[in-house]
Amino acid sequence: MCGIVGYVGERQAAPILLDGLGKLEYRGYDSAGIAVYDGEKIRMKKAKGRLKVLSELTHDGEIFPGQTGIGHTRWATHGEPSDVNAHPHFNADNSIVVVHNGIIENYLKLKKKLKEKGYEFVSDTDTEVIAHLLDHYYRGNPLQAIIKIMHRMEGSYALGIMFRDHPEELYAVRKDSPLIVGHTKDGCIIASDVPAVLKYTRDVYFIENEEIVRMKQDSMEFFNVDEESMEKESTHIDWDVDAAEKGGYEHFMLKEMYEQPKAISDTFSPRLKGKEIVIEELGMSDEDILSVKKMMIVACGSAYHAGVTGKYVLEGMARIPVEVDLASEYRYRDPLIEEGTLIIIISQSGETADSLAALRDSRSRGAKVLGIVNVVGSSIAREADNVMYTWAGPEIAVATTKAYSCQLIALYLLAMKFAQVRGTVTDGELERYIEDLKRIPDQVEMLLNNKNRIQKFANRYLAARDVFFIGRGIDYAISLEGSLKLKEISYIHSEAYAAGELKHGTISLIEEGTLVAAVLTQEKLYKKMISNMVEVRTRGAFVLAVTNEGNGDVKRAADYVIYIPETNQYFTNSLAIIPLQLFGYYISVGKGCDVDKPRNLAKSVTVE
Ligand code: F6R
């Protein structure tokens, strides 16, 4: 996500900050800023856009002299990308300055309290709350003020902090967001990721949750929340810069698949309040929700596939009719939008040309549009009536994994909210859905840890010519995405079919050895699926099954079985997709394809 760099030492800080931030550019960002103590006061410069803009404004840091500084590249979460929302953030008299990665979940509550005490806010960020909160607790001892705010903040944070009254000190603290520190030849450096420090040191300390670091030019001290000093061991980094950018993973796609548990949890956590689903950004009262008669989900590619799953979940759980459309079709088909229709546009980038055109078309017809978007401040986010963000963070690999998984979560939350208000689920059912939702991150992690088995299986199919994915109901939606993941990065021809359609033509394509991936997570459809699997198997297909733990019958009709852990009938997609993502990934790796940048594809499709 965002990038943090900080330095205190003998050298000029600003060029080190800019250089370090440059090494974190690959993480994605929309604005950047630095703050440096100049011997008298802390000076700050921030700019929307590329780091180049900030470098030009500061003459590569030259006009920001000083030996203590912090810098940041921001990927917008709270508040659109802008100069004002960029980090660092000051307290009122510019004596405390903060850079932050992560999300402060209770920032609205804290902001309200601080406002009541007279604090004024200039940005829309959650980070500015941290600067004012520090100010509130600061009595001359930075460490004690930091410990105090740690007890007040909920959510995740990695912070770099400077105090004007302690100009030769730099502070760092973290919870659930990575942060490292290291000694350079002439000082100390902090960063949110290894690539930023490799030029200066290869021995780093990984800060653990709720640990605080005080750095001076020639010393580095670690503290716990009880203000007790601690000893830490450094770790030697022997990766090259390229590997470091990917956090040691071979590809961004693999790294992003591994980020899914956190991304999923970041997407649902702020919207679960005890037994309630609270989606403030929907901008809909219970009455508004009750007045929705129909939903139309419009999107492209994987986002469309998430929408297909959404249809099953929303219709099943909230008993509301849902149509799903490809944006490129919808925009030219003169859709019938009646009163009470809610249009939902799903997009990772928020810039997909067809999805944006569909949004504009819908609004011009007077429909209310909800965006489910990953990139804050993107065109779709700006132009939709309301936006529900997926908190997947920047996605670099062209083939989406974590953003898709977060789109599913957003749709589950929406279904749960509508079901709750419309009374189509009981309190007990809703509680169980919430519990199931909370278990998804750990279950996804468990499935990811099974990667070696999938890799072995994938290696047997590197020469496959055609692969078919089949499923019924939600499993058909999973098949669509599994098939796209495989074909787009491995260049193997692949199709997804609703299993009942096989007999209507496709089955003639099955030859001896053709791989058919059958997804069967819907208990009520097991028998139907097993019949379809038997049909292809008797015609020579090799059947790979992805099914729920405990489905013993499947072995009758499958040659190879991958089990997913138990969840309810609506959430199975979030689990079944993991082995299919891994399968596509390992075929691509095995064939030596360019996994992160497949041929002919772009990450953001801004033209028709
Ligand atoms: C496939 C993939 C694409 C996108 C599609 C829509 O892995 O990433 O199919 O899902 O281009 O993009 P967004 O979500 O940015 O609108």
Short mmCIF file of all heavy atoms in Angstrom, two decimals, residues 450 453-454 457 468-470 475 515-521 526 529-530 533-534 536-537 542-549 551-564 576 579-580:
data_model
loop_
_atom_site.label_atom_id
_atom_site.label_comp_id
_atom_site.label_asym_id
_atom_site.label_seq_id
_atom_site.Cartn_x
_atom_site.Cartn_y
_atom_site.Cartn_z
N ASN A 450 -1.39 -24.83 0.97
CA ASN A 450 -1.45 -26.11 0.28
C ASN A 450 -0.85 -26.00 -1.13
O ASN A 450 -1.07 -26.84 -1.99
CB ASN A 450 -2.93 -26.50 0.18
CG ASN A 450 -3.11 -27.98 -0.01
OD1 ASN A 450 -2.17 -28.74 0.16
ND2 ASN A 450 -4.32 -28.38 -0.40
N ARG A 453 1.06 -28.86 -3.30
CA ARG A 453 0.26 -29.94 -3.90
C ARG A 453 -0.32 -29.46 -5.24
O ARG A 453 -0.32 -30.19 -6.22
CB ARG A 453 -0.86 -30.31 -2.91
CG ARG A 453 -1.65 -31.48 -3.35
CD ARG A 453 -2.47 -32.08 -2.25
NE ARG A 453 -3.32 -33.11 -2.84
CZ ARG A 453 -4.64 -33.04 -2.93
NH1 ARG A 453 -5.27 -32.01 -2.42
NH2 ARG A 453 -5.32 -34.02 -3.50
N ILE A 454 -0.80 -28.23 -5.27
CA ILE A 454 -1.39 -27.71 -6.51
C ILE A 454 -0.29 -27.54 -7.56
O ILE A 454 -0.51 -27.80 -8.74
CB ILE A 454 -2.08 -26.34 -6.24
CG1 ILE A 454 -2.94 -26.43 -5.01
CG2 ILE A 454 -2.79 -25.83 -7.49
CD1 ILE A 454 -4.39 -26.42 -5.15
N PHE A 457 0.40 -30.81 -9.15
CA PHE A 457 -0.67 -31.18 -10.07
C PHE A 457 -0.57 -30.34 -11.35
O PHE A 457 -0.68 -30.87 -12.47
CB PHE A 457 -2.04 -30.97 -9.40
CG PHE A 457 -3.19 -31.33 -10.29
CD1 PHE A 457 -3.56 -32.66 -10.47
CD2 PHE A 457 -3.88 -30.35 -10.98
CE1 PHE A 457 -4.60 -33.00 -11.33
CE2 PHE A 457 -4.92 -30.67 -11.84
CZ PHE A 457 -5.28 -32.01 -12.01
N PHE A 468 -11.51 -27.44 -19.39
CA PHE A 468 -12.90 -26.99 -19.16
C PHE A 468 -13.17 -26.91 -17.67
O PHE A 468 -12.72 -27.75 -16.90
CB PHE A 468 -13.88 -27.96 -19.84
CG PHE A 468 -13.70 -27.97 -21.33
CD1 PHE A 468 -12.94 -28.97 -21.95
CD2 PHE A 468 -14.22 -26.95 -22.12
CE1 PHE A 468 -12.73 -28.96 -23.31
CE2 PHE A 468 -14.01 -26.94 -23.48
CZ PHE A 468 -13.25 -27.94 -24.09
N PHE A 469 -13.89 -25.87 -17.31
CA PHE A 469 -14.31 -25.69 -15.91
C PHE A 469 -15.83 -25.81 -15.89
O PHE A 469 -16.50 -25.14 -16.69
CB PHE A 469 -13.91 -24.31 -15.39
CG PHE A 469 -12.43 -24.16 -15.17
CD1 PHE A 469 -11.56 -24.01 -16.24
CD2 PHE A 469 -11.91 -24.16 -13.89
CE1 PHE A 469 -10.19 -23.89 -16.03
CE2 PHE A 469 -10.55 -24.02 -13.67
CZ PHE A 469 -9.68 -23.90 -14.74
N ILE A 470 -16.34 -26.64 -15.00
CA ILE A 470 -17.80 -26.78 -14.94
C ILE A 470 -18.31 -26.63 -13.50
O ILE A 470 -17.60 -26.96 -12.55
CB ILE A 470 -18.29 -28.12 -15.53
CG1 ILE A 470 -17.62 -29.31 -14.82
CG2 ILE A 470 -18.04 -28.18 -17.03
CD1 ILE A 470 -18.25 -30.66 -15.19
N ASP A 475 -21.18 -22.31 -8.19
CA ASP A 475 -20.00 -23.00 -8.71
C ASP A 475 -19.75 -22.70 -10.18
O ASP A 475 -18.63 -22.83 -10.67
CB ASP A 475 -20.14 -24.51 -8.49
CG ASP A 475 -20.15 -24.84 -7.00
OD1 ASP A 475 -19.59 -24.04 -6.23
OD2 ASP A 475 -20.72 -25.88 -6.63
N LEU A 515 -8.52 -32.22 -19.56
CA LEU A 515 -8.71 -31.88 -18.15
C LEU A 515 -10.03 -31.13 -17.96
O LEU A 515 -10.28 -30.12 -18.62
CB LEU A 515 -7.54 -31.02 -17.65
CG LEU A 515 -7.64 -30.56 -16.19
CD1 LEU A 515 -7.68 -31.75 -15.23
CD2 LEU A 515 -6.47 -29.65 -15.82
N VAL A 516 -10.85 -31.65 -17.06
CA VAL A 516 -12.10 -30.96 -16.70
C VAL A 516 -12.04 -30.66 -15.20
O VAL A 516 -11.90 -31.58 -14.38
CB VAL A 516 -13.34 -31.82 -17.03
CG1 VAL A 516 -14.62 -31.12 -16.52
CG2 VAL A 516 -13.45 -32.07 -18.53
N ALA A 517 -12.09 -29.37 -14.87
CA ALA A 517 -12.11 -28.99 -13.45
C ALA A 517 -13.57 -28.81 -13.04
O ALA A 517 -14.26 -27.95 -13.58
CB ALA A 517 -11.33 -27.70 -13.24
N ALA A 518 -14.02 -29.65 -12.13
CA ALA A 518 -15.42 -29.58 -11.70
C ALA A 518 -15.48 -28.98 -10.30
O ALA A 518 -14.78 -29.42 -9.40
CB ALA A 518 -16.01 -31.00 -11.67
N VAL A 519 -16.31 -27.92 -10.18
CA VAL A 519 -16.44 -27.28 -8.87
C VAL A 519 -17.79 -27.70 -8.29
O VAL A 519 -18.83 -27.51 -8.94
CB VAL A 519 -16.36 -25.74 -9.00
CG1 VAL A 519 -16.33 -25.10 -7.63
CG2 VAL A 519 -15.12 -25.33 -9.80
N LEU A 520 -17.77 -28.27 -7.10
CA LEU A 520 -19.05 -28.67 -6.49
C LEU A 520 -19.04 -28.37 -5.01
O LEU A 520 -18.56 -29.13 -4.21
CB LEU A 520 -19.45 -30.11 -6.80
CG LEU A 520 -18.57 -31.33 -6.52
CD1 LEU A 520 -19.42 -32.60 -6.55
CD2 LEU A 520 -17.46 -31.44 -7.51
N THR A 521 -19.53 -27.18 -4.69
CA THR A 521 -19.57 -26.74 -3.29
C THR A 521 -21.02 -26.60 -2.81
O THR A 521 -21.23 -26.23 -1.67
CB THR A 521 -18.87 -25.37 -3.14
OG1 THR A 521 -19.68 -24.36 -3.75
CG2 THR A 521 -17.49 -25.36 -3.73
N TYR A 526 -24.85 -31.60 -5.54
CA TYR A 526 -23.79 -32.63 -5.64
C TYR A 526 -24.14 -33.72 -6.65
O TYR A 526 -23.34 -34.07 -7.51
CB TYR A 526 -23.60 -33.33 -4.29
CG TYR A 526 -22.75 -32.62 -3.26
CD1 TYR A 526 -22.65 -33.13 -1.97
CD2 TYR A 526 -22.05 -31.45 -3.56
CE1 TYR A 526 -21.89 -32.50 -0.99
CE2 TYR A 526 -21.29 -30.82 -2.59
CZ TYR A 526 -21.20 -31.35 -1.31
OH TYR A 526 -20.45 -30.74 -0.36
N MET A 529 -24.03 -32.70 -10.21
CA MET A 529 -22.65 -32.48 -10.66
C MET A 529 -21.92 -33.81 -10.87
O MET A 529 -21.20 -33.99 -11.84
CB MET A 529 -21.88 -31.65 -9.62
CG MET A 529 -22.04 -30.16 -9.76
SD MET A 529 -21.53 -29.54 -11.37
CE MET A 529 -19.79 -29.87 -11.37
N ILE A 530 -22.14 -34.73 -9.93
CA ILE A 530 -21.45 -36.02 -10.06
C ILE A 530 -21.87 -36.70 -11.36
O ILE A 530 -21.04 -37.28 -12.07
CB ILE A 530 -21.68 -36.88 -8.79
CG1 ILE A 530 -20.85 -36.22 -7.67
CG2 ILE A 530 -21.27 -38.33 -9.02
CD1 ILE A 530 -20.89 -36.87 -6.34
N MET A 533 -19.91 -35.15 -14.08
CA MET A 533 -18.51 -35.57 -14.03
C MET A 533 -18.34 -36.97 -14.61
O MET A 533 -17.39 -37.25 -15.34
CB MET A 533 -18.00 -35.50 -12.58
CG MET A 533 -17.84 -34.07 -12.08
SD MET A 533 -17.97 -33.92 -10.29
CE MET A 533 -16.49 -34.73 -9.73
N VAL A 534 -19.29 -37.84 -14.26
CA VAL A 534 -19.24 -39.20 -14.80
C VAL A 534 -19.35 -39.16 -16.33
O VAL A 534 -18.63 -39.86 -17.04
CB VAL A 534 -20.36 -40.07 -14.17
CG1 VAL A 534 -20.48 -41.41 -14.88
CG2 VAL A 534 -20.08 -40.27 -12.67
N VAL A 536 -18.38 -36.86 -18.45
CA VAL A 536 -17.14 -36.48 -19.15
C VAL A 536 -16.04 -37.52 -18.92
O VAL A 536 -15.22 -37.80 -19.80
CB VAL A 536 -16.64 -35.06 -18.77
CG1 VAL A 536 -17.54 -33.99 -19.33
CG2 VAL A 536 -16.43 -34.89 -17.28
N ARG A 537 -16.07 -38.11 -17.73
CA ARG A 537 -15.03 -39.09 -17.41
C ARG A 537 -15.15 -40.32 -18.31
O ARG A 537 -14.14 -40.87 -18.78
CB ARG A 537 -15.13 -39.49 -15.96
CG ARG A 537 -13.81 -39.92 -15.36
CD ARG A 537 -14.03 -40.11 -13.91
NE ARG A 537 -12.87 -40.56 -13.21
CZ ARG A 537 -12.95 -41.40 -12.19
NH1 ARG A 537 -14.11 -41.87 -11.79
NH2 ARG A 537 -11.86 -41.78 -11.55
N PHE A 542 -10.00 -36.32 -17.71
CA PHE A 542 -9.39 -36.43 -16.39
C PHE A 542 -10.10 -35.40 -15.53
O PHE A 542 -10.11 -34.21 -15.87
CB PHE A 542 -7.90 -36.14 -16.46
CG PHE A 542 -7.20 -36.34 -15.14
CD1 PHE A 542 -6.55 -37.54 -14.87
CD2 PHE A 542 -7.20 -35.34 -14.17
CE1 PHE A 542 -5.91 -37.74 -13.65
CE2 PHE A 542 -6.58 -35.55 -12.94
CZ PHE A 542 -5.92 -36.75 -12.68
N VAL A 543 -10.73 -35.83 -14.44
CA VAL A 543 -11.57 -34.89 -13.68
C VAL A 543 -10.89 -34.45 -12.37
O VAL A 543 -10.57 -35.27 -11.51
CB VAL A 543 -12.96 -35.50 -13.38
CG1 VAL A 543 -13.79 -34.53 -12.54
CG2 VAL A 543 -13.68 -35.82 -14.70
N LEU A 544 -10.67 -33.15 -12.30
CA LEU A 544 -10.18 -32.53 -11.06
C LEU A 544 -11.41 -31.96 -10.36
O LEU A 544 -12.15 -31.19 -10.95
CB LEU A 544 -9.21 -31.39 -11.41
CG LEU A 544 -8.96 -30.33 -10.33
CD1 LEU A 544 -8.12 -30.91 -9.20
CD2 LEU A 544 -8.25 -29.11 -10.91
N ALA A 545 -11.63 -32.33 -9.10
CA ALA A 545 -12.80 -31.80 -8.38
C ALA A 545 -12.36 -30.86 -7.28
O ALA A 545 -11.38 -31.11 -6.59
CB ALA A 545 -13.60 -32.95 -7.79
N VAL A 546 -13.09 -29.76 -7.14
CA VAL A 546 -12.89 -28.87 -6.00
C VAL A 546 -14.20 -28.90 -5.24
O VAL A 546 -15.25 -28.52 -5.76
CB VAL A 546 -12.58 -27.42 -6.46
CG1 VAL A 546 -12.41 -26.50 -5.25
CG2 VAL A 546 -11.33 -27.39 -7.34
N THR A 547 -14.15 -29.39 -4.02
CA THR A 547 -15.40 -29.60 -3.28
C THR A 547 -15.21 -29.39 -1.78
O THR A 547 -14.10 -29.16 -1.31
CB THR A 547 -15.97 -31.01 -3.58
OG1 THR A 547 -17.30 -31.10 -3.09
CG2 THR A 547 -15.12 -32.11 -2.96
N ASN A 548 -16.32 -29.49 -1.05
CA ASN A 548 -16.28 -29.28 0.41
C ASN A 548 -15.70 -30.50 1.12
O ASN A 548 -15.95 -31.63 0.70
CB ASN A 548 -17.69 -29.07 0.95
CG ASN A 548 -18.39 -27.93 0.27
OD1 ASN A 548 -17.78 -26.91 0.00
ND2 ASN A 548 -19.67 -28.10 -0.02
N GLU A 549 -15.02 -30.21 2.22
CA GLU A 549 -14.57 -31.30 3.09
C GLU A 549 -15.79 -32.15 3.45
O GLU A 549 -16.87 -31.58 3.68
CB GLU A 549 -14.04 -30.70 4.39
CG GLU A 549 -12.55 -30.66 4.47
CD GLU A 549 -12.08 -29.71 5.56
OE1 GLU A 549 -12.84 -29.44 6.49
OE2 GLU A 549 -10.94 -29.22 5.40
N ASN A 551 -17.32 -34.32 1.52
CA ASN A 551 -18.05 -34.85 0.37
C ASN A 551 -17.34 -36.10 -0.14
O ASN A 551 -16.52 -36.04 -1.06
CB ASN A 551 -18.16 -33.77 -0.73
CG ASN A 551 -18.87 -34.27 -1.97
OD1 ASN A 551 -19.39 -35.38 -2.00
ND2 ASN A 551 -18.88 -33.44 -3.00
N GLY A 552 -17.64 -37.22 0.50
CA GLY A 552 -16.96 -38.47 0.16
C GLY A 552 -17.35 -39.02 -1.20
O GLY A 552 -16.53 -39.61 -1.90
N ASP A 553 -18.58 -38.75 -1.61
CA ASP A 553 -19.10 -39.30 -2.87
C ASP A 553 -18.30 -38.88 -4.09
O ASP A 553 -18.29 -39.56 -5.11
CB ASP A 553 -20.54 -38.78 -3.10
CG ASP A 553 -21.53 -39.64 -2.37
OD1 ASP A 553 -21.08 -40.60 -1.73
OD2 ASP A 553 -22.73 -39.30 -2.44
N VAL A 554 -17.67 -37.73 -3.96
CA VAL A 554 -17.00 -37.14 -5.11
C VAL A 554 -15.96 -38.08 -5.71
O VAL A 554 -15.71 -38.08 -6.91
CB VAL A 554 -16.39 -35.77 -4.71
CG1 VAL A 554 -15.13 -35.95 -3.88
CG2 VAL A 554 -16.12 -34.91 -5.91
N LYS A 555 -15.38 -38.90 -4.85
CA LYS A 555 -14.29 -39.79 -5.32
C LYS A 555 -14.77 -40.76 -6.39
O LYS A 555 -13.98 -41.25 -7.18
CB LYS A 555 -13.70 -40.54 -4.13
CG LYS A 555 -12.93 -39.63 -3.21
CD LYS A 555 -11.93 -40.41 -2.36
CE LYS A 555 -11.16 -39.48 -1.46
NZ LYS A 555 -11.36 -39.76 -0.06
N ARG A 556 -16.06 -41.01 -6.39
CA ARG A 556 -16.62 -41.90 -7.42
C ARG A 556 -16.42 -41.35 -8.82
O ARG A 556 -16.36 -42.08 -9.80
CB ARG A 556 -18.15 -42.01 -7.23
CG ARG A 556 -18.57 -42.96 -6.16
CD ARG A 556 -20.01 -43.35 -6.34
NE ARG A 556 -20.96 -42.24 -6.14
CZ ARG A 556 -21.84 -41.85 -7.04
NH1 ARG A 556 -21.91 -42.44 -8.21
NH2 ARG A 556 -22.68 -40.84 -6.77
N ALA A 557 -16.36 -40.01 -8.91
CA ALA A 557 -16.39 -39.41 -10.25
C ALA A 557 -15.17 -38.55 -10.55
O ALA A 557 -15.09 -37.96 -11.61
CB ALA A 557 -17.65 -38.56 -10.38
N ALA A 558 -14.21 -38.47 -9.60
CA ALA A 558 -13.07 -37.57 -9.81
C ALA A 558 -11.76 -38.35 -9.77
O ALA A 558 -11.64 -39.37 -9.09
CB ALA A 558 -13.06 -36.50 -8.74
N ASP A 559 -10.77 -37.85 -10.51
CA ASP A 559 -9.45 -38.46 -10.49
C ASP A 559 -8.54 -37.80 -9.46
O ASP A 559 -7.54 -38.35 -9.04
CB ASP A 559 -8.81 -38.32 -11.87
CG ASP A 559 -9.62 -39.04 -12.93
OD1 ASP A 559 -9.56 -40.26 -12.98
OD2 ASP A 559 -10.37 -38.34 -13.67
N TYR A 560 -8.87 -36.58 -9.11
CA TYR A 560 -8.03 -35.81 -8.19
C TYR A 560 -8.97 -34.85 -7.46
O TYR A 560 -9.80 -34.20 -8.09
CB TYR A 560 -7.00 -35.00 -8.99
CG TYR A 560 -5.84 -34.50 -8.19
CD1 TYR A 560 -4.68 -35.26 -8.05
CD2 TYR A 560 -5.89 -33.25 -7.57
CE1 TYR A 560 -3.59 -34.78 -7.32
CE2 TYR A 560 -4.81 -32.79 -6.85
CZ TYR A 560 -3.68 -33.54 -6.71
OH TYR A 560 -2.61 -33.08 -5.99
N VAL A 561 -8.84 -34.78 -6.12
CA VAL A 561 -9.80 -33.95 -5.36
C VAL A 561 -9.07 -32.91 -4.50
O VAL A 561 -8.07 -33.22 -3.85
CB VAL A 561 -10.69 -34.83 -4.44
CG1 VAL A 561 -11.74 -33.97 -3.75
CG2 VAL A 561 -11.35 -35.95 -5.23
N ILE A 562 -9.57 -31.69 -4.55
CA ILE A 562 -9.08 -30.64 -3.65
C ILE A 562 -10.26 -30.24 -2.76
O ILE A 562 -11.33 -29.89 -3.26
CB ILE A 562 -8.59 -29.40 -4.44
CG1 ILE A 562 -7.38 -29.79 -5.30
CG2 ILE A 562 -8.23 -28.25 -3.50
CD1 ILE A 562 -7.02 -28.76 -6.32
N TYR A 563 -10.03 -30.32 -1.46
CA TYR A 563 -11.12 -30.00 -0.53
C TYR A 563 -10.98 -28.57 0.00
O TYR A 563 -9.86 -28.11 0.25
CB TYR A 563 -11.11 -30.97 0.66
CG TYR A 563 -11.52 -32.37 0.25
CD1 TYR A 563 -10.57 -33.37 0.07
CD2 TYR A 563 -12.86 -32.68 0.03
CE1 TYR A 563 -10.94 -34.66 -0.31
CE2 TYR A 563 -13.24 -33.97 -0.36
CZ TYR A 563 -12.28 -34.94 -0.53
OH TYR A 563 -12.66 -36.20 -0.91
N ILE A 564 -12.12 -27.92 0.18
CA ILE A 564 -12.12 -26.59 0.83
C ILE A 564 -12.79 -26.72 2.19
O ILE A 564 -13.69 -27.54 2.36
CB ILE A 564 -12.83 -25.51 -0.04
CG1 ILE A 564 -14.30 -25.88 -0.29
CG2 ILE A 564 -12.11 -25.28 -1.34
CD1 ILE A 564 -15.15 -24.70 -0.71
N ALA A 576 -13.06 -21.67 -2.80
CA ALA A 576 -12.80 -22.53 -3.97
C ALA A 576 -11.92 -21.82 -5.00
O ALA A 576 -11.20 -22.48 -5.77
CB ALA A 576 -14.12 -22.95 -4.60
N PRO A 579 -7.50 -22.47 -4.79
CA PRO A 579 -6.74 -23.48 -5.55
C PRO A 579 -6.76 -23.21 -7.05
O PRO A 579 -5.80 -23.53 -7.74
CB PRO A 579 -7.45 -24.80 -5.22
CG PRO A 579 -8.68 -24.46 -4.48
CD PRO A 579 -8.54 -23.10 -3.94
N LEU A 580 -7.84 -22.61 -7.55
CA LEU A 580 -7.90 -22.34 -9.00
C LEU A 580 -6.94 -21.21 -9.38
O LEU A 580 -6.32 -21.24 -10.43
CB LEU A 580 -9.34 -22.03 -9.43
CG LEU A 580 -10.35 -23.15 -9.17
CD1 LEU A 580 -11.72 -22.80 -9.72
CD2 LEU A 580 -9.89 -24.49 -9.77
#
